[in-house]
């Protein structure tokens, strides 16, 4: 099973990228073939209907679409900006939604977030769900939010908190099982 994993942050030291790396390692152990992408690979302009009419879908959006198409399932690890979806990620979703059929149709999706705050970006994931549902993704009921993410990682890049680590293991195990059974539909 192919799983695309990316963080919705462009920052080099992004805590969401760190969590995406942890998740990728766990999915690898569970037997998935992980395509770990840096969101910078999907560089694209702000959505502009005039630009779309003159130049079509940007190369960065097409790259994201083809990586999604090649995957059976997707993991998005996203920060929360002002209780909502970060602009760069929402912009990518808006551009993707101009492609027919949606490359996201039927893909199983797990959402995670990380933030230095005590809420861990969970409100951003709630805001992200409607746009992704609209795009035909099957969203896992589980999602994982890492609070106080600035001090949540050990020197090896893993999670400090063993209980949280086990919770994430359980969620990803269920996600891989559901994604595997969806392949047979
Ligand atoms: C934030 N941050 C933030 N954190 C949070 O828990 N709730 C929020 O609503 C916001 N809003 C917000 C808006 C903007 C514009 C920025 C730049 C930041 C803080 C945010 O969680 C923190 O900067 C993270 O480190 C961002 O994630 P990455 O880039 O480290 O993955």
């Amino acid at each position: 099973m192919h799983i695309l994993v990316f963080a919705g942050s462009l920052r080099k030291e992004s805590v969401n990228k760190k969590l995406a790396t942890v998740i990728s390692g766990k999915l690898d152990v569970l037997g998935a073939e992980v395509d770990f992408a840096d969101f910078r690979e999907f560089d694209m302009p702000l959505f502009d209907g005039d630009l779309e009419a003159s130049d079509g879908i940007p190369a960065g959006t097409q790259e994201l679409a083809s990586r999604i198409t090649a995957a059976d399932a997707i993991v998005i690890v996203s920060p929360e900006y002002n209780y909502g979806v970060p602009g760069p990620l929402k912009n990518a979703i808006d551009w993707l939604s101009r492609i027919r059929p949606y490359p996201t149709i039927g893909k199983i999706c797990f959402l995670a977030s990380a933030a230095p705050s005590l809420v861990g970006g969970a409100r951003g994931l709630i805001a992200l769900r409607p746009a992704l549902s609209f795009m035909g993704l099957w969203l896992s009921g589980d999602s994982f939010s890492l609070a106080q993410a600035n001090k949540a990682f050990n020197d090896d890049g893993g999670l400090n908190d063993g209980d949280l680590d086990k919770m994430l293991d359980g969620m990803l195990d269920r996600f891989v099982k559901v994604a595997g059974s969806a392949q047979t539909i």
Side-chain angles (χ1 to χ4, degrees), residues 6-11 17 37-47 51 56-65 67 87-89 91-93 95-96:
F6 67 93
S9 170
L10 298 166
R11 228 163 59 83
K17 273 186 201 170
D38 190 309
F39 201 47
R40 285 187 180 276
E41 294 174 62
F42 311 128
D43 186 40
M44 63 190 84
L46 287 176
F47 181 79
L51 188 63
I57 303 295
T61 313
Q62 289 182 26
E63 174 64 16
L64 176 56
R67 301 275 280 274
L89 180 58
N91 186 54
I93 292 168
W95 272 115
L96 275 178

Side-chain angles (χ1 to χ4, degrees), residues 42 48 56 73 104 112-113 118 120 123 140 152-153 166 179:
F42 311 128
D48 173 346
T104 42
S113 65
L118 287 173
R123 293 164 298 209
S140 161
F153 298 94
K166 270 194 203 126

Side-chain angles (χ1 to χ4, degrees), residues 116-184:
S117 72
L118 287 173
V119 183
R123 293 164 298 209
L125 298 188
I126 292 167
L128 184 54
R129 282 179 175 269
L132 296 177
S133 300
F134 177 81
M135 296 277 292
L137 281 154
W138 290 22
L139 296 167
S140 161
D142 287 328
S143 59
F144 183 82
S145 290
L146 184 64
Q148 299 188 305
N150 50 323
K151 43 187 175 183
F153 298 94
N154 60 37
D155 291 343
D156 297 329
L159 296 181
N160 278 327
D161 186 321
D163 290 339
L164 272 185
D165 195 57
K166 270 194 203 126
M167 183 193 289
L168 181 58
D169 281 341
M171 288 182 179
L172 294 177
D173 187 49
R174 282 193 290 280
F175 166 60
V176 166
K177 283 181 178 140
V178 169
S181 59
Q183 280 183 303
T184 61

Side-chain angles (χ1 to χ4, degrees), residues 9 11 14-16 79-83 115-117 123:
S9 170
R11 228 163 59 83
S14 159
V15 288
N16 285 276
E80 161 184 298
Y81 283 177
N82 302 311
Y83 289 19
S117 72
R123 293 164 298 209

